[in-house]
Amino acid sequence: MRNGFCLWGWFALIALLWADPSVARERFEAAIQNHGGDAYRKLFLNGFKAQHDITREHGGKSESKRVEYRKGNKQRVEIMRGEERFIITFDGNGGWRKDGYLVTGLAQEEIWAQRDSAHGDFVVIPHWLEQATLVGGEDAKMPDGRSAFRIEFQFPLSEEQKKLPTKPTGKAYCYLDEKNQILGIQYELIDYETDEVNQAAEIFHNYREMPTPAGMVRMPLETRYYIGNRHVGTYFLTALDAQSEIADSLFERPPSEAPPIVRETLPTKVPFRMKGFSLYVEVKLNGKGPYWIILDTGAASTWIDAQIAKEAGLEKIPNSDYYGVMVYGAFPSYRARVKSLQIGNAEVRDLTIGVGELQYTPLGDDTLDGKKVIGLLGRETLSAFQMTVNFAERTITLEPPDAELPQGTVIPYEMFGDHILVTMGVGNKNQIRMIVDTGASVNLLPPSYKPDKADGVWMTLEEWTKRLGEIHEDDEYSFMTGDMRVYRLHKMTLGPLLFESVYAFQKLAEGARSDSIIASKTKHGLLGIPVMRHYKITFNYYRQLMVWQPNTEQERTADNAGYGIWWRKQGKDLFVRWVMPLSDADLQGVKKGDKIVLIDGQSPANWTEKQLVDRLSYTKPYRPLKLTVERNGKRLEFELIARNYEL
């Protein structure tokens, strides 16, 4: 017992010594002095320009170059891949992204991520003492396996971090060698799109002294970047300019550049086709075509088949290989230049788009009128115009982006990367983030959505599929797999717009299984065609505005509202063949096999097929129906309301 007490006493003493931060603080201060002392501290505050070459980015070969401007919490990063240039800038509060001729703001999630990662940079290390609490230090292994002295810091959690399903610890670490030279840092990296919390590490190698106005600083020439235990990139410092003044204007959002469109042919109206709930338009590439392509506001980039790119003479950009991510997976791709892309009489010139093997995607077998569909018409093409999609007319009107907006309900939105992102209400309590996606044939709720009983009704995917029975069409993309729910939501709102009886699917946040990258990972939902088709919608990427105009009374006759009932005739008798799950008929108790004896008090015995279709299937939204059925010798009456039962 006495020996046990001594052993535990030693453990307590060791823990106490480790918890005492004085040794760790002394070594940390010595490390700062080793790297330039006051000059090192001022480098971050006064500002600098650093240039890097990047290799092994995301586990593959890359010839990327990176130019970074820092001045306090302000940051501007320019990435060059081949001859493509991307810019992202954060001014300490907000940010913007520039890609080609389109300048957009950053969605809130990206701004949070920018703020969180502000301490994850070699030049910021001296200021950790001002931002966090030094906890202590101990001998440990670095992420690359080398031994070092690890100093622990505790950063305060932001309000956004506190709301995450898995809360980060707020811990960050600085690794020193025996001579108190900084070898690396480790911190938490939060992906606010998926709510995932990962460990990121930067390991530094091969230092060189470089001049600043305040003196010399020792900077790492090589930084190896890790996420978890995976080495995802190596940054080589090729130049550092800490002498020139960094202008604040570098961090300000510039005006949008003029899009490369031929204005003389605008406005123009282009027909589109719908197959299922996908929109197809014809395009020409460098004068070749026309080709069918899917119009997709959810596509970050226009992406076409490699065979078509070759046929149209598109020029591949050297060193631009990447993996294009679609809903159902990631596919080898590259970037290519298009001299001319025409949609009817509308023309965009000098575009850069994605190219890949269509056969490896779900679009590989897609055809229209016997012609192969070549890919997706995405953001960089659509954003060149003010675009109005008229679902009743099946037309798209393309105008210059500075054209006058039509009358209607104006909905501001954010750009999340290249996606149109809005906040929607569900019921009276829930707020969810949704991507407005003309390429989505269903509405998809984010995994983070927590249903309230007042919001609507739902069932599991297994129950839903069993109920669909013979009416169910096979899901050729195997999207409907894993832990899913199917909802009928009583109310969804987008600004002042109200949508009723909305069907939507949801991959559950816990244990989500899917072949779909987007469905199982993202916390954003998709607002799809089933809602949009009842409106004329104008998209203006430059103003970051949409205008929604509801279909007219005459146009709504094509909305095809119904009661959730399919029937079959047997002589003069009429029977319920099938009841749509979660429809009014289903919720009130209409059953398969019920004999329909009266429709609004009239016998349907002598009704024609057209009369039945017009009254039961393709009627006006919200039209009431009094249905009388016979079941087991008893008559039952139901009061139903026509809805747009769309998946």
Side-chain angles (χ1 to χ4, degrees):
M1 186 73 178
R2 184 176 178 182
N3 290 337
F5 173 80
C6 291
L7 183 60
W8 282 110
W10 276 109
F11 285 159
L13 179 59
I14 291 171
L16 182 63
L17 289 173
W18 182 87
D20 182 359
S22 59
V23 174
R25 180 179 294 272
E26 182 179 334
R27 292 193 63 174
F28 186 75
E29 291 283 6
I32 293 172
Q33 291 301 316
N34 284 341
H35 286 274
D38 287 342
Y40 183 25
R41 294 180 193 273
K42 292 179 180 178
L43 181 63
F44 169 70
L45 298 175
N46 293 347
F48 64 89
K49 173 185 176 182
Q51 300 181 55
H52 292 88
D53 284 347
I54 309 174
T55 62
R56 295 190 63 194
E57 187 179 24
H58 305 301
K61 292 182 179 179
S62 173
E63 297 297 330
S64 300
K65 296 182 182 296
R66 182 177 190 263
V67 179
E68 178 188 12
Y69 299 86
R70 288 295 295 259
K71 190 175 184 181
N73 287 328
K74 298 179 179 180
Q75 182 180 26
R76 174 187 173 109
V77 177
E78 302 176 5
I79 302 288
M80 282 73 71
R81 294 190 180 99
E83 297 182 20
E84 285 193 287
R85 184 165 173 256
F86 307 90
I87 300 174
I88 184 168
T89 294
F90 179 65
D91 67 6
N93 296 302
W96 53 268
R97 180 190 297 278
K98 183 176 181 181
D99 181 0
Y101 53 85
L102 178 66
V103 178
T104 65
L106 293 180
Q108 193 64 50
E109 288 89 339
E110 289 188 87
I111 292 175
W112 294 340
Q114 292 277 10
R115 289 175 177 167
D116 289 349
S117 60
H119 61 273
D121 195 313
F122 180 81
V123 297
V124 189
I125 296 173
H127 301 279
W128 281 17
L129 288 172
E130 303 156 21
Q131 303 168 350
T133 301
L134 193 154
V135 178
E138 63 177 345
D139 292 329
K141 295 284 187 182
M142 291 202 303
D144 66 355
R146 289 181 295 164
S147 298
F149 184 72
R150 184 178 71 180
I151 302 174
E152 180 182 324
F153 288 82
Q154 179 67 53
F155 282 83
L157 296 185
S158 66
E159 290 304 312
E160 293 77 28
Q161 291 172 332
K162 293 176 183 176
K163 297 174 184 177
L164 291 170
T166 302
K167 293 179 178 56
T169 64
K171 296 184 184 298
Y173 304 94
C174 182
Y175 293 91
L176 309 180
D177 65 11
E178 67 279 0
K179 296 180 181 179
N180 292 330
Q181 177 175 267
I182 298 172
L183 297 179
I185 57 176
Q186 190 174 7
Y187 52 90
E188 288 167 316
L189 188 69
I190 300 170
D191 184 341
Y192 284 97
E193 185 178 5
T194 63
D195 284 346
E196 290 182 340
V197 181
N198 295 306
Q199 283 293 325
E202 298 175 25
I203 307 301
F204 311 117
H205 298 269
N206 306 317
Y207 292 83
R208 178 180 295 173
E209 290 195 351
M210 296 184 173
T212 77
M216 302 297 289
V217 297
R218 281 176 63 82
M219 293 284 291
L221 297 181
E222 178 184 340
T223 300
R224 297 178 188 172
Y225 187 46
Y226 294 79
I227 296 181
N229 294 319
R230 188 166 62 96
H231 178 200
V232 297
T234 301
Y235 294 72
F236 296 95
L237 181 63
T238 57
L240 178 72
D241 181 1
Q243 309 284 348
S244 304
E245 182 179 355
I246 304 299
D248 288 335
S249 59
L250 274 172
F251 309 100
E252 296 173 359
R253 176 175 172 171
S256 297
E257 299 172 22
I261 59 175
V262 180
R263 298 177 70 96
E264 290 77 14
T265 60
L266 301 177
T268 187
K269 187 177 287 189
V270 181
F272 70 83
R273 297 271 295 277
M274 283 187 69
K275 187 174 73 170
F277 276 162
S278 292
L279 279 60
Y280 296 81
V281 296
E282 286 189 313
V283 298
K284 289 185 177 181
L285 300 169
N286 292 351
K288 300 292 180 65
Y291 306 106
W292 285 114
I293 194 168
I294 296 175
L295 189 147
D296 189 357
T297 59
S301 173
T302 297
W303 190 94
I304 68 166
D305 183 29
Q307 182 179 341
I308 301 299
K310 183 177 180 181
E311 179 181 306
L314 272 57
E315 177 189 354
K316 179 180 179 180
I317 297 176
N319 304 314
S320 64
D321 296 275
Y322 72 104
Y323 274 86
V325 178
M326 297 185 189
V327 172
Y328 300 96
F331 310 97
S333 305
Y334 63 86
R335 305 288 283 170
R337 294 187 184 89
V338 184
K339 294 178 182 177
S340 168
L341 191 155
Q342 291 175 269
I343 314 167
N345 291 327
E347 183 179 8
V348 190
R349 293 178 178 170
D350 301 321
L351 276 175
T352 300
I353 66 172
V355 175
E357 294 288 344
L358 202 68
Q359 62 179 321
Y360 298 124
T361 78
L363 302 176
D365 297 324
D366 199 2
T367 61
L368 198 65
D369 296 339
K371 294 173 61 178
K372 183 178 180 181
V373 175
I374 67 167
L376 304 174
L377 191 65
R379 193 275 311 159
E380 80 286 86
T381 304
L382 303 179
S383 64
F385 305 98
Q386 175 168 290
M387 176 178 70
T388 299
V389 182
N390 187 323
F391 288 94
E393 285 187 359
R394 298 289 196 267
T395 61
I396 300 165
T397 300
L398 299 170
E399 303 174 90
D402 53 0
E404 183 178 353
L405 287 169
Q407 295 296 314
T409 302
V410 177
I411 304 293
Y413 61 82
E414 297 177 88
M415 291 298 295
F416 185 81
D418 298 303
H419 300 297
I420 296 171
L421 188 65
V422 295
T423 299
M424 298 188 68
V426 180
N428 297 317
K429 298 179 181 179
N430 280 294
Q431 295 283 306
I432 58 176
R433 304 276 272 173
M434 302 281 276
I435 293 170
V436 182
D437 187 358
T438 60
S441 60
V442 298
N443 301 306
L444 184 68
L445 297 173
S448 57
Y449 167 67
K450 304 297 183 186
D452 187 285
K453 288 185 178 180
D455 291 351
V457 290
W458 61 86
M459 60 177 57
T460 67
L461 177 66
E462 184 178 3
E463 293 170 325
W464 172 263
T465 305
K466 185 176 180 180
R467 287 285 310 278
L468 286 179
E470 62 181 296
I471 302 298
H472 176 56
E473 296 181 4
D474 289 338
D475 173 27
E476 59 181 314
Y477 298 155
S478 299
F479 177 82
M480 301 303 171
T481 59
D483 302 323
M484 289 191 75
R485 284 180 182 157
V486 186
Y487 291 81
R488 177 187 164 190
L489 301 170
H490 300 319
K491 180 175 76 171
M492 291 186 75
T493 55
L494 176 59
L497 297 174
L498 171 64
F499 314 120
E500 297 180 291
S501 294
V502 176
Y503 274 86
F505 297 89
Q506 183 194 28
K507 283 285 183 183
L508 302 185
E510 297 297 327
R513 303 189 309 273
S514 177
D515 296 332
S516 166
I517 292 176
I518 303 298
S520 63
K521 299 292 284 186
T522 185
K523 72 175 184 180
H524 298 139
L526 299 178
L527 180 63
I529 297 299
V531 167
M532 286 190 274
R533 69 182 292 265
H534 304 293
Y535 293 80
K536 289 185 285 290
I537 306 175
T538 298
F539 299 88
N540 193 304
Y541 286 76
Y542 285 84
R543 297 174 178 142
Q544 291 185 205
L545 295 174
M546 292 182 291
V547 179
W548 288 56
Q549 305 170 74
N551 290 342
T552 65
E553 184 70 29
Q554 182 178 1
E555 291 168 338
R556 282 200 296 271
T557 60
D559 281 0
N560 301 339
Y563 304 94
I565 299 171
W566 273 248
W567 69 89
R568 61 180 174 85
K569 295 193 75 172
Q570 187 173 322
K572 287 186 174 292
D573 292 334
L574 188 66
F575 293 91
V576 175
R577 173 189 171 197
W578 181 73
V579 179
M580 183 174 184
L582 303 179
S583 65
D584 275 12
D586 180 38
L587 298 180
Q588 291 197 36
V590 178
K591 301 291 185 182
K592 176 181 177 180
D594 286 349
K595 180 180 178 181
I596 301 174
V597 293
L598 295 174
I599 298 175
D600 290 332
Q602 299 180 16
S603 170
N606 296 314
W607 284 23
T608 66
E609 185 79 9
K610 185 178 185 305
Q611 285 177 302
L612 290 170
V613 169
D614 289 344
R615 187 63 190 96
L616 295 179
S617 296
Y618 300 141
T619 188
K620 293 181 180 180
Y622 309 112
R623 184 179 178 183
L625 172 71
K626 185 175 182 180
L627 187 73
T628 304
V629 304
E630 187 177 284
R631 184 190 305 163
N632 298 326
K634 295 182 179 179
R635 287 199 171 191
L636 304 172
E637 290 188 352
F638 302 95
E639 300 283 346
L640 308 177
I641 300 293
R643 311 282 185 182
N644 296 115
Y645 293 121
E646 299 164 336
L647 302 181

